[in-house]
Amino acid sequence: MKFFADTAEISEIRELAATGLLDGVTTNPSLIHKSGRNFLDVVKEIASVVSGPVSAEVVALDYDGMMREAAVLRKIADHIAIKVPLTPAGLKACKALSGDGTMVNVTLCFSSAQALLAAKAGATFISPFIGRLDDISSDGMQLIADIRLIYDNYDYGTQILAASIRHPMHIVDSAKLGADVVTAPPKIIWQLFKHPLTDLGIASFLKDWEATGQKIV
Ligand code: E4P
């Protein structure tokens, strides 16, 4: 499973990239707003730190506008994935951009019907928003399972990018269901490392090691 960081905070991205476990980054207009920085500057900086896909979202709602914005964003680097909303105009832009060899992340997916359309439009990534579905008492994880089944039935190459992650079990459950990628706030990715028995084990091994009086180097 590939891990993307869902953030526009460059320090968080650098910290995660240093683990060697980070495969890409996703941003959205809200994350850019939160960063307080210029959109194009942030995306350029992220793309210089991470060599995997960096999603940058268009804000135009019409096809021509999306294509104009995509032209600016794709110039930043070859590994920019253009993020388009799951609308008729968004999927039209997806088809044109992916036909041109540009990576496209179709965002704001809330149903398997929408995911089917995105695959037909040649999306590189489909982003089902698990947390936002759970928030309205729907079953985000069932959506991942349904999309996996549909994509496997037809051998669609579109990668399932589990998004809107709220806690570590969303990542584990997405992995069990065969999501190709997960994008999560860095804080949640760090939580995956944690287990109290790991900390206790290290403490007791260190105590016993000190008692031996030995050194490795
Ligand atoms: C994905 O690409 C989105 O940026 C993100 O996962 C949305 O998450 P949220 O529902 O926490 O805003």
Side-chain angles (χ1 to χ4, degrees), residues 57-211:
E57 189 160 342
V58 297
V59 289
L61 296 179
D62 62 301
Y63 170 78
D64 290 334
M66 285 181 192
M67 293 303 284
R68 277 195 298 274
E69 292 176 356
V72 173
L73 297 172
R74 69 205 283 205
K75 269 196 209 128
I76 294 175
D78 287 343
H79 56 296
I80 299 296
I82 305 298
K83 216 170 173 190
V84 299
L86 211 153
T87 60
L91 293 192
K92 187 177 171 187
C94 173
K95 183 136 194 160
L97 291 165
S98 55
D100 243 11
T102 301
M103 285 189 287
V104 182
N105 176 355
V106 176
T107 190
L108 292 167
C109 171
F110 295 97
S111 77
S112 44
Q114 291 179 316
L116 176 58
L117 292 171
K120 282 182 69 62
T124 315
F125 304 105
I126 180 69
S127 291
F129 276 36
I130 300 172
R132 292 193 195 189
L133 279 170
D134 289 357
D135 288 347
I136 57 156
S137 307
S138 198
D139 189 349
M141 214 43 74
Q142 186 59 47
L143 177 57
I144 301 288
D146 291 344
I147 300 174
R148 183 73 281 158
L149 176 70
I150 292 169
Y151 283 9
D152 288 350
N153 279 348
Y154 295 94
D155 268 340
Y156 284 128
T158 299
Q159 297 176 52
I160 303 173
L161 196 173
S164 187
I165 297 294
R166 300 275 191 265
H167 50 71
M169 287 314 289
H170 270 159
I171 300 181
V172 174
D173 290 338
S174 297
K176 284 182 179 173
L177 291 170
D180 303 283
V181 191
V182 68
T183 189
K187 188 183 87 178
I188 297 177
I189 297 179
W190 286 112
Q191 284 176 329
L192 293 176
F193 284 89
K194 296 205 174 113
H195 198 288
L197 290 180
T198 304
D199 297 337
L200 279 173
I202 288 173
S204 80
F205 283 156
L206 277 186
K207 191 165 163 262
D208 290 342
W209 178 249
E210 273 163 27

